[in-house]
Amino acid sequence: MSDDNFFERVYAIARKIPYGRVTSYGAIAKALGAARSARMVGYAMNASHDMEDVPAHRVVNRKGLLTGKFHFDGTNLMQQLLESEGVEVIDNQIVDFEKHFWQPEVQY
């Protein structure tokens, strides 16, 4: 599978993340049948910043940390986007992560 195809499949799942919810790189990778590809999902999210229809701010690490925040313009843009959707963030950590977590459906 080419990276382009993989990235498009990642974006298709990311577009389904509901407003006010988050998922993890690993959950997306597992839904694609590529459980060990969480890092590739991260690369896809980093490459999506010119795509307004891909809510990359809703993808965090498995512990609810905003590990992708350095790839957003502005100091706290990722946090601001999440908070505008009602997701509380303290010290780069999503509060009540389990409550906000969205599990993507398996795609393969």
Side-chain angles (χ1 to χ4, degrees), residues 16-103:
K16 295 177 183 176
I17 305 168
Y19 182 92
R21 304 288 296 278
V22 295
T23 196
S24 68
Y25 304 105
I28 291 175
K30 192 177 285 186
L32 292 174
R36 296 175 183 264
S37 298
R39 183 168 282 139
M40 282 295 290
V41 172
Y43 295 149
M45 290 295 99
N46 293 343
S48 73
H49 290 293
D50 293 334
M51 305 167 82
E52 291 184 20
D53 64 330
V54 177
H57 65 284
R58 296 183 190 148
V59 184
V60 297
N61 84 355
R62 62 188 168 88
K63 296 179 181 171
L65 287 168
L66 310 190
T67 51
K69 74 177 212 154
F70 303 106
H71 300 283
F72 283 82
D73 291 334
T75 313
N76 284 317
L77 182 59
M78 185 177 188
Q79 179 172 335
Q80 291 167 356
L81 290 168
L82 288 168
E83 288 176 340
S84 74
E85 297 183 12
V87 177
E88 187 180 359
V89 178
I90 297 176
D91 292 331
N92 297 318
Q93 173 83 46
I94 292 175
V95 177
D96 293 329
F97 180 52
E98 296 79 20
K99 181 181 102 176
H100 295 289
F101 187 79
W102 175 79
Q103 182 67 50

